Amino acid sequence: MLDDRRKIGVGLTGLGFLFLMLGVLFFFDRGLLAMGNILFLSGVATTIGPAAAFRFFIRPKNYKGSAFFLGGVVLVVWGWTFLGFALEMWGFWLLFSAFFPTVLSFLRRMPFLKKVLDLPAFKAVINKVAPAGGGLPV
C-alpha cells in the first residue's frame, strides 16, 4: 500500500504528465511544458524520496539520459520548446524505458485498460514490449 507521501508523489507525477500533454496540445506552450516538468520532477522526488531520486539521475548508466532530459528542461524554460521537448522525450526514454514492461503489465490488470490494450491495434506492439503472462517482477 502507498503511504500519504507516495500518494502525493504519484499525483504530482500524473499532473506533470497532464501538463506536458496539454503543453503539446497547445502547440508547445512554454508555460505548460515548464509546469509539467516541475511537477513531474517533484513527483518523482516525492514518490521515491529526494536522495533516491538524486542517486537515480546521477548513476553512471543514467548520465546520458539525465543530460538529455535536464538539457531539454533548460531549453523549454529558455523558450526553445520544440527542441527542448524532443530532447526531454529522448532523455525520458533513456532513463525510464526499462520500467515500461512493468508499467504495461500493471496496466493490463486494470479492468477498463485491459479491454483497450487487448484491441488488435495495440496488442501486437504491447506484446513485444511486455509479453503477456510475463507477470510483474518480484
Side-chain angles (χ1 to χ4, degrees), residues 32 47 96 114 133:
L32 289 172
T47 302
F96 299 105
K114 179 178 175 42

Side-chain angles (χ1 to χ4, degrees), residues 66-83:
S66 297
F68 277 111
F69 185 78
L70 296 175
V73 170
V74 169
L75 285 177
V76 164
V77 171
W78 278 347
W80 292 58
T81 55
F82 187 75
L83 180 62

